[in-house]
Amino acid sequence: MTAHVQELMSSLPDEKIDMIAATSVLQQQASEIRQNKINWQSYMQSQMINSEDYAAISALDSDKRGQYLQTNAPQSAKTFLNLLSHVSKDQTIQYILVMIDDLLQEDRTRVEIFYEHAARKKESIYAPFLTLLNRSDGFIVNMAARILAKLACWGRETMPKSDLNFYLQWLKEQLTNNAKLYEKEVAEAYEKRAAEIAALHHSHHHHHGHHGLHLGLGHSKNEFHPHQQGAAPHHHQKYREIDSETTGHRHPPSVEAHHVMDFQYLTIMSNEYMQSVGRCLQMMLRNDDYRFAFVSVDGISTLISILSSHVNFQVQYQLVFCLWVLTFNPLLAEKMNKFNVIPILADILSDCAKEKVTRIILAVFRNLIEKPEDAQVSKEHCIAMVQCKVLKQLSILEQRRFDDEDITGDVEFLTEKLQNSVQDLSSFDEYATEVKSARLEWSPVHKSAKFWRENAQRLNEKNYELLRILVHLLETSNDPLVLAVASFDIGEYVRHYPRGKNVIEQLGGKQLVMQLLSHEDPNVRYEALLAVQKLMVHNWEYLGKQLEKETETKPSGPAAISGKA
């Protein structure tokens, strides 16, 4: 691991973890909350807090905080937790959470203050903060989550299993819900902006410059427009790249581009909270125990499904970072591509214009080759990368100049490994990797009679693993290309393996192929028909002779089975 990567790992929990933390809405809200001082005296006068807590919180909420903490650590933890459990007003809870977060951020050893208090009281250190995850205020919820991550990562003990599963499940759900909301909000905002631009054209107001149209997502005070010109995406890209700071035109953008560009910098709250949750996960997944717990709540699938939707580059970076940290564990690195990580990251790599996203994807790819202890798995990962056109991307990256040595080093490493794997690649390896990726296409092996003659029987290996995947694809895929190729392959297997017909029937494949005879896509119907004909025929040699006879007696008659079979 290079010095740069080690530095990145060691600075993970800090705000250096991502570059826009200082401008994130959560941080902006926190600085606003700090300005609105709480009148602690009124709480004491109305007997909502006692004089002991009043004295402590007043000292902690002053310039003498550091001094007070050194001499009154037990009282400090007691007061904070008392207030969190007795005060119900959102504004005050927000203020207390910012105070706690600030003092932990200044000195991470201060988590011990809370650990010692919990040990004395024989209470859970996490319970008061886990309870706050149920609040309706977004700031409170995200600040509590952030404090939980710090307690879990910087303390002397790991989080107990039940709390850990609850917390990780919560983080996972937050990511999923906010990603759905974000995509919906961006789509609505895009439609609204498109309507505004159309109206603008209609009324022929062709002013050059900024029209200041706001998208009105209900968070206008949180909109921010960096003073950065350029970067207007093409309109036909719709909202895929909106909010992703795509680099592009350097000359003054047109009126429409200007509107879409404003839209890029729109700060949508669901996206802000995704980043906040992303930071918590980035911290948690440095711990090996937490990594396995995250995988056991099906966390990798969640990361992959969000990465395959439209999220902005910052969230992309954070979630790929989480995958990267997971791949440092050899066992997890071996299992990773079962979740289709390589195809999804290869897609992002070919689309992304952000250096930090490129860097982190290359680092994941490198770990997927270097970390597995089973050489066969590393080989499969290489083949999967080749099939996902990663070599082409690497050659494009080689032409670009990067300031970052890690990128250059990873590009060289990956290029060498992938080129070697191409030379060693047998057609069966290639076929197996394609089937496992679930991205079937008419690659040369499918139509090669030699391939099927030599390899049909190999589809029985590992308890019919590849056949089971093909049958599963027939049942679950919505892609006509995948359905057509899978049908063809099943037909070819049956044609070249004597007992193939029985195997396919037992795996439920025959029924599925027959259902595809009424599929809306003509190519799927065609391939399904051929496969069904192959499944119905018992003896291929006998059929061949029969066809020859028929052709001799009826030269103009149509062949029973298309020549493609």
Side-chain angles (χ1 to χ4, degrees), residues 540-550:
W540 275 95
E541 283 176 19
Y542 170 75
L543 177 82
K545 286 178 185 148
Q546 287 300 105
L547 284 176
E548 278 168 28
K549 276 183 194 168
E550 275 184 38

Side-chain angles (χ1 to χ4, degrees), residues 375-419:
Q376 182 58 32
V377 172
S378 294
K379 183 183 172 185
E380 282 173 14
H381 288 171
C382 284
I383 299 166
M385 287 176 209
V386 170
Q387 288 184 324
C388 294
K389 322 278 189 289
V390 172
L391 265 173
K392 182 185 162 201
Q393 282 310 119
L394 292 171
S395 67
I396 293 168
L397 292 173
E398 265 181 326
Q399 308 308 312
R400 282 167 60 183
R401 287 202 116 114
F402 291 103
D403 304 331
D404 191 327
E405 289 170 22
D406 279 349
I407 294 188
T408 318
D410 287 349
V411 167
E412 285 171 10
F413 171 87
L414 290 166
T415 303
E416 185 192 342
K417 291 285 181 190
L418 299 195
Q419 282 174 344

Side-chain angles (χ1 to χ4, degrees), residues 161 164-165 168-169 172 289-300 332:
K161 201 170 179 188
L164 180 62
N165 279 352
L168 291 174
Q169 196 76 43
K172 199 183 90 161
D289 293 334
Y290 299 164
R291 286 173 192 161
F292 281 103
F294 182 66
V295 174
S296 71
V297 298
D298 203 23
I300 297 177
L332 297 181

Side-chain angles (χ1 to χ4, degrees), residues 26-209:
L26 203 68
Q27 299 291 72
Q28 288 172 14
Q29 283 178 311
S31 63
E32 282 167 26
I33 288 162
R34 282 186 206 99
Q35 307 308 315
N36 297 322
K37 295 280 185 190
I38 302 292
N39 183 350
W40 299 115
Q41 195 154 4
S42 69
Y43 274 94
M44 189 177 74
Q45 284 164 348
S46 57
Q47 296 183 330
M48 288 174 79
I49 62 174
N50 61 31
S51 55
E52 188 182 46
D53 285 336
Y54 169 70
I57 199 70
S58 301
L60 288 164
D61 194 11
S62 72
D63 307 341
K64 301 188 174 63
R65 175 173 70 192
Q67 244 171 305
Y68 182 84
L69 273 168
Q70 277 182 328
T71 50
N72 299 278
Q75 182 60 47
S76 302
K78 183 180 169 190
T79 295
F80 277 131
L81 296 173
N82 275 349
L83 293 180
L84 282 180
S85 60
H86 289 102
V87 172
S88 57
K89 195 177 174 190
D90 278 358
Q91 191 190 346
T92 312
I93 297 280
Q94 288 174 350
Y95 193 87
I96 296 164
L97 291 175
V98 170
M99 285 178 74
I100 294 172
D101 188 64
D102 285 350
L103 67 90
L104 294 180
Q105 197 62 40
E106 280 168 24
D107 178 357
R108 64 180 64 183
T109 62
R110 288 175 179 164
V111 294
E112 293 303 327
I113 296 171
F114 293 92
Y115 271 97
E116 281 158 15
H117 173 78
R120 267 195 311 277
K121 302 272 284 184
K122 296 188 169 51
E123 288 172 355
S124 159
I125 185 174
Y126 301 105
F129 300 100
L130 288 167
T131 306
L132 292 174
L133 297 180
N134 299 316
R135 299 283 286 232
S136 57
D137 179 83
F139 182 85
I140 290 176
V141 163
N142 279 278
M143 200 44 101
R146 187 179 150 104
I147 291 167
L148 280 163
K150 288 174 180 173
L151 293 173
C153 296
W154 298 348
R156 58 174 100 157
E157 299 160 23
T158 53
M159 206 181 221
K161 201 170 179 188
S162 59
D163 287 346
L164 180 62
N165 279 352
F166 177 84
Y167 179 53
L168 291 174
Q169 196 76 43
W170 182 87
L171 287 174
K172 199 183 90 161
E173 281 163 16
Q174 289 296 302
L175 273 180
T176 307
N177 297 342
N178 281 314
K180 283 178 188 159
L181 192 60
Y182 173 71
E183 195 157 6
K184 180 168 170 270
E185 284 177 330
V186 171
E188 284 169 1
Y190 177 84
E191 298 305 335
K192 185 169 181 186
R193 174 48 51 91
E196 283 173 347
I197 292 170
L200 197 73
H201 273 277
H202 191 66
S203 58
H204 302 295
H205 287 309
H206 291 292
H207 300 306
H208 295 289

